[in-house]
Amino acid sequence: MAIQPAPKTTRWLRRGVLLLTTLVILLAAFVLWRPASALTTIATAALRLRGIESRYVQLGPYRIHYFTGGAGEPLVLVHGLGGRALDFAPMMPALARNHRVFALDLLGYDGSDRPDVNYSVTLETGILRQFLDAQGLPRVDLAGWSMGGWIALQFTSQSPDRVRRLVLLDSAGLMFTPTFDLHLMAPHTMTDIRELEKLLTPHPGRVPAFILRDFLRQKRTEDWMIERTAANMITGREVMDGKLANVTMPVLIVWGRQDVLTPLAVGEALHREMPQSTLVVLDDCGHLAPIECHDRVLAEMQRFLADKPPLPAGHRENN
């Protein structure tokens, strides 16, 4: 004869199932209503489970958010225009196996303060310098992606003794003529978002529309800041052409062959200006190579940072 649960036990089971069902419904509603925020929460929690902590530091009047974890030589990751520290989430846990990793949200981005300032590359370079000082990091391995590469280049050219090895990922920083409308960097419509997708990846259309709509909602709050940054960039006052003589440490340049935003010609020019550098070109990757092709980018970075002596200068294809 089957044993029936006691009425009290049955009531608790029903309440537990109801509570669980309610939580699932609420979570699903949150994901559909604010998918970008939900993905941020999930990514941050996943990093936490793998030993990467979310922290804040006060740099003068500004509160800066960053992620950190791991042990070993310090490695600092700098994101690009319109990006954030979480852009490096696919690579951070693996890099933290052999490094003390730091990934900061630059001033104005994601969890950091957003004051009324000019948001120039020079200003953000100063934020990077203050961040390293606040963390007690006299010398680091430094990696920058897109505008983050420009910031890394400016910092390294000014303070070469503070950078052991430099990694540039589809980096900005040299003068070139864009083939796109700069207003797309601060998208205002879904059409803008779709056009921006085409600049960022050779595989547009993979992101569902409801996520892109929420992304657009978030980006509207950053439009004024990104427009100020772009206005500073196009003056040409901060470009690094002819200013890289001090960058003599080992340099790894990784580029997506299909990058439209900062074309491969920029990577090749950086390689010429830093003859000790190694240029690695990734096929079927665009400006989002550190996300879409993160396994290959990660492998190149790990090899470069670990090799003793450093990798020889050269130009390689990675298919």
Side-chain angles (χ1 to χ4, degrees), residues 77 109 144 261 289 297:
L77 308 173
Y109 293 91
L261 196 66
V297 174

Side-chain angles (χ1 to χ4, degrees), residues 57-76:
V57 62
Q58 194 72 28
L59 304 180
Y62 308 131
R63 188 170 183 248
I64 298 296
H65 173 258
Y66 67 102
F67 292 95
T68 187
E73 293 281 350
L75 169 62
V76 178

Side-chain angles (χ1 to χ4, degrees), residues 50-219:
R50 302 186 70 177
I52 309 292
E53 298 180 351
S54 171
R55 295 182 183 177
Y56 290 87
V57 62
Q58 194 72 28
L59 304 180
Y62 308 131
R63 188 170 183 248
I64 298 296
H65 173 258
Y66 67 102
F67 292 95
T68 187
E73 293 281 350
L75 169 62
V76 178
L77 308 173
V78 187
H79 67 78
L81 181 66
R84 55 182 181 164
L86 266 179
D87 293 343
F88 291 102
M91 297 191 291
M92 272 193 270
L95 291 170
R97 292 175 195 150
N98 297 301
H99 301 272
R100 179 66 176 180
V101 174
F102 299 85
L104 69 155
D105 287 322
L106 293 166
L107 188 66
Y109 293 91
D110 209 34
S112 294
D113 282 350
R114 193 173 297 167
D116 184 8
V117 293
N118 67 7
Y119 291 101
S120 63
V121 168
T122 298
L123 175 67
E124 299 288 13
T125 300
I127 291 295
L128 173 61
R129 186 183 308 281
Q130 291 176 64
F131 179 79
L132 297 185
D133 292 343
Q135 299 298 324
L137 301 174
R139 194 164 185 254
V140 300
D141 291 326
L142 184 59
W145 176 8
S146 191
M147 182 187 74
W150 191 343
I151 294 164
L153 279 168
Q154 188 177 98
F155 176 82
T156 303
S157 69
Q158 294 170 354
S159 305
D161 58 315
R162 299 194 66 173
V163 179
R164 187 182 77 105
R165 298 188 186 192
L166 178 63
V167 179
L168 302 172
L169 308 172
D170 291 88
S171 178
L174 296 186
M175 184 68 77
F176 73 99
T177 302
T179 59
F180 55 89
D181 190 334
L182 283 172
H183 91 274
L184 290 177
M185 300 310 298
H188 292 88
T189 67
M190 280 296 290
T191 300
D192 289 346
I193 284 283
R194 289 300 187 187
E195 290 302 311
L196 180 59
E197 257 197 309
K198 295 175 185 177
L199 293 178
L200 295 174
T201 172
H203 307 290
R206 289 183 174 181
V207 181
F210 78 99
I211 294 179
L212 287 179
R213 280 192 292 272
D214 194 41
F215 174 81
L216 178 62
R217 177 191 62 81
Q218 287 191 337
K219 288 302 173 189

Side-chain angles (χ1 to χ4, degrees), residues 225-272:
M225 179 196 68
I226 292 175
E227 287 168 358
R228 288 187 186 184
T229 304
N232 276 287
M233 287 179 171
I234 62 177
T235 65
R237 289 192 298 263
E238 298 177 307
V239 293
M240 301 305 298
D241 300 70
K243 301 176 184 176
L244 301 179
N246 289 339
V247 185
T248 57
M249 71 289 295
V251 178
L252 173 66
I253 304 169
V254 181
W255 224 270
R257 183 183 299 282
Q258 284 73 35
D259 191 341
V260 179
L261 196 66
T262 50
L264 178 57
V266 178
E268 293 169 338
L270 284 168
H271 182 44
R272 288 193 297 271

